[in-house]
Every structure is written in C-alpha cells, then in structure tokens.
Amino acid sequence: MKLMRCPLNGWRNISEFTYGGEVESMPNPVTDASDVWAEYLFFHQNPAGLVHEWWCHTATSYWFIAERNTVTDEIIKTYPTSELFQKRVDFSQEEST
Amino acid sequence: MTTVHPETLKRRSMLYRKLATEGARFERTDDGAAPASYANANEVACARKMGIADLTTLPRIGFKGKDTPAWLVQHGVKLPGGPNQACLQQDATLVVRLSNDEHLLLDDVEFSGGLVARLASLWAFESDRLCYKLLREHSHFWLLLVGEYASAMLAKVCGVDMQPKQFPFGCVAQTSVARNNAIVVRSLLGTTPAFHLLADSASAEYLWFCLLDAMQEFNGGAVGLEALRALARESNSR
C-alpha cells in the first residue's frame, strides 16, 4: 500500500486520502470575467513534473497541500495550508483601492 | 434487581436491539442504558483477553473552535500536549485532543467524573468566543476494545500500528477501521490494555459485526460494564 504523510495525522495508507485538485489562485469574483472562472473551475494545467495539489485526510476532513511529481508519482512533501495562506483575501477591498 | 428496558429511556445506543438479542442485561447510565452483563460466567476472563463493550450511552461531549483550549483550561481541564493525544483528568475523565482546537471528553466506566456534565452546563454560546459545543453523543457510537489481544485484533482491520511501543497510552489515531472512519484512543483499564473506538453512528451495527468477527480467533466476545469495572478494580489491586 502506498503511504502519504498527513501533516496532522502522520503516515497513513493512501486509501485514507481524497484528491482535491491543483492548487491555483482563485480569480477575483468582482473583476475577473467568466472565462477566467471557467478556466479556474474546469481546466487543469496537468504538467509533467512537480505539481502542488490539494489533498484531504478523509478520517479527519483535514485539507492540506502536497507537492508531487506527476512523472514518478513521488510525493515530495506535504504541509498545512497555513504555510501558503497566511491572511484572509478581501476582494471587495481590492476593488475599492 | 430492577430490569432496565432501553426502549423506555430517552437515549438508546444504536446497538441496543442487537445487544438485547445477544443476551445483554442493561443498567441505567445518565439518561440511557448500557449493557451491564451478558450472563456469561467467564465475562471477566473474556475481557482480560479480548472483549468488546458498548459505551455509547455513557456521558461524553466535544468542544471545537479557536478559543476552546483557553476555555477548557479556564475551567480546570488539563489538556493533552498536542493533536492526536489524550490525557486523564484527576476524576478519570479522558480528554482527547483531535486537532489544535477540537477536544472530546469521555467519562469512565464508573461515571465517576461529572466533568462532562459540569462543562455541558457551564457552556453557553457567546458570539465573541470561538468555542462551540459538539453533540458527540448523537453523532458517534462508542465502543471499548479491551484485553491483551486488542492491538493484535485491531491490526486485522486497521492500517495503523497499535502495538504498545508504537502507540502507547494516550495516543490517538483518526483513521480507517474496517473501511470506516474512526477515532481510536489507546487507554488502560487498570493495567489491561484498552482502546476507545468512536465512529459514525450509522455504521454501528456493521462495525460491531466486523470487530466481533475479527476477534473470533482470540475467543473474544461482548462484555458488559460489570466485567469492565471488576477488571479495573482487580488490576488496580495487583
């Protein structure tokens, strides 16, 4: 069984995890056009090589980020979302500035 | 001795019908009933080797939110050092830390604590305090796996190594047990190894069946609160 390290729960069988898609910046809901949103929601980069992905440890509903090599299927590292998202994004403020 | 009928009480275990057919005699818990014994002369001996007990109607509660650790400490609760750890309070209540901000409190088999009831009555919603009460008694069923073969039995249905060296007292695993999400907490009944297992209430009968099936090779079986208490006292006096 392939193993993955959850930042909260430690090493677990891969069957305990759910894939959540590539990590991408969310478009601005106020200023970005619908084609940008369609790209964000329905299309994926799917590169050969290093990717950043959302994963969820199902037993705890804990979401985190994994760096994975799509060529070798090696999981390079996993870390909590707080390492990437450190402050709340306020779109309405962006618009007014 | 008064006969207790679970169906006449407010709270019932998701398993009570099944346990009744297996010969359970019930006793009152807080506002429900739990199996006291199964009229098995060897129940204590069985519990010492491999037993399974339904503790679903025993007092327990959960709290979640950023301000939860501070609120619990304010009310005299000793917190485990980090997520996925558990520690005993002076009154034998087990506090389980599921994440930085989420805690689960389990009363002991003697219902000696009262901490669960005290915190439940102390808690009130305050909009500026991020601490929320979780009704764990409704969402989860609660089993105790007890006996020297408990970790060997769990190895058949769970991928996490629960041997004492890898998973000592106070360790918590939120993992998959027989393909169901479950919380497993390593505990102790006197000196006998024990594991608390909590999982989604809808899966109670399925997991009860799976675990009984897995413990067949260890001659395991259902045990009641009386055997658990006898074991705790016997072990303590050794």
Side-chain angles (χ1 to χ4, degrees):
Chain A
M1 177 76 78
K2 191 172 176 180
L3 298 176
M4 189 182 218
R5 193 188 70 82
C6 168
L8 177 66
N9 298 283
W11 291 100
R12 290 286 194 273
N13 289 343
I14 198 77
S15 57
E16 289 192 24
F17 296 94
T18 309
Y19 173 70
E22 294 166 358
V23 176
E24 288 185 78
S25 300
M26 193 178 99
N28 188 319
V30 181
T31 57
D32 281 326
S34 47
D35 58 336
V36 179
W37 273 98
E39 179 76 24
Y40 171 71
L41 290 171
F42 304 115
F43 295 96
H44 305 287
Q45 304 301 326
N46 198 22
L50 187 72
V51 288
H52 294 78
E53 297 171 329
W54 286 102
W55 283 83
C56 177
H57 180 243
T58 317
T60 47
S61 299
Y62 179 79
W63 285 94
F64 59 94
I65 295 165
E67 284 181 21
R68 188 170 69 90
N69 188 321
T70 53
V71 178
T72 60
D73 199 19
E74 181 193 3
I75 297 160
I76 292 129
K77 73 177 214 183
T78 56
Y79 48 91
T81 53
S82 56
E83 284 190 22
L84 207 60
F85 304 100
Q86 284 161 359
K87 62 175 187 181
R88 186 182 170 84
V89 180
D90 194 340
F91 289 108
S92 56
Q93 205 172 42
E94 262 178 37
E95 188 197 26
S96 62
T97 52
Chain B
M1 191 181 295
T2 321
T3 309
V4 175
H5 298 284
E7 62 273 17
T8 62
L9 300 168
K10 270 205 296 190
R11 279 192 61 216
R12 279 155 280 184
S13 163
M14 303 83 193
L15 291 163
Y16 83 93
R17 290 187 191 90
K18 182 155 190 61
L19 304 187
T21 62
E22 290 177 17
R25 178 176 58 77
F26 292 89
E27 70 168 60
R28 280 297 298 262
T29 55
D30 189 11
D31 51 359
S37 76
Y38 290 83
N40 174 357
N42 295 321
E43 220 169 296
V44 176
C46 177
R48 204 175 289 133
K49 296 291 183 192
M50 184 68 257
I52 182 170
D54 177 29
L55 306 185
T56 298
T57 53
L58 265 64
R60 66 201 140 119
I61 197 165
F63 296 98
K64 184 177 187 175
K66 216 166 187 177
D67 298 329
T68 298
W71 186 78
L72 289 172
V73 168
Q74 182 193 334
H75 292 293
V77 178
K78 188 177 85 177
L79 298 184
N84 288 320
Q85 291 176 35
C87 72
L88 273 177
Q89 306 299 296
Q90 265 189 340
D91 67 356
T93 303
L94 190 66
V95 175
V96 182
R97 192 167 190 166
L98 299 174
S99 70
N100 277 327
D101 306 327
E102 185 173 349
H103 294 73
L104 169 68
L105 286 86
L106 306 172
D107 211 341
D108 75 326
V109 291
E110 305 273 6
F111 330 139
S112 51
L115 179 62
V116 170
R118 187 166 68 81
L119 289 173
S121 65
L122 281 169
W123 183 89
F125 177 74
E126 288 176 28
S127 57
D128 58 345
R129 191 187 62 208
L130 300 175
C131 175
Y132 308 102
K133 186 161 76 172
L134 303 171
L135 299 173
R136 290 290 187 192
E137 66 270 36
H138 302 307
S139 60
H140 288 64
F141 69 95
W142 174 13
L143 303 177
L144 187 75
L145 302 165
V146 61
E148 64 178 282
Y149 295 116
S151 58
M153 186 279 291
L154 277 168
K156 296 171 68 177
V157 289
C158 176
V160 177
D161 185 353
M162 292 190 179
Q163 294 178 85
K165 268 190 184 172
Q166 300 296 326
F167 199 77
F169 177 84
C171 276
V172 178
Q174 298 173 78
T175 184
S176 175
V177 175
R179 296 191 173 269
N180 264 256
N181 295 331
I183 302 167
V184 184
V185 186
R186 161 77 81 159
S187 187
L188 213 52
L189 200 65
T191 57
T192 306
F195 294 88
H196 294 280
L197 187 149
L198 294 100
D200 185 82
S201 54
S203 312
E205 285 208 19
Y206 165 74
L207 262 185
W208 178 265
F209 168 80
C210 286
L211 294 168
L212 268 181
D213 184 58
M215 65 179 64
Q216 261 189 358
E217 69 172 281
F218 306 109
N219 297 319
V223 296
L225 285 169
E226 287 171 6
L228 300 182
R229 289 179 189 135
L231 194 63
R233 288 187 206 118
E234 179 189 74
S235 302
N236 282 330
S237 62
R238 271 182 195 167

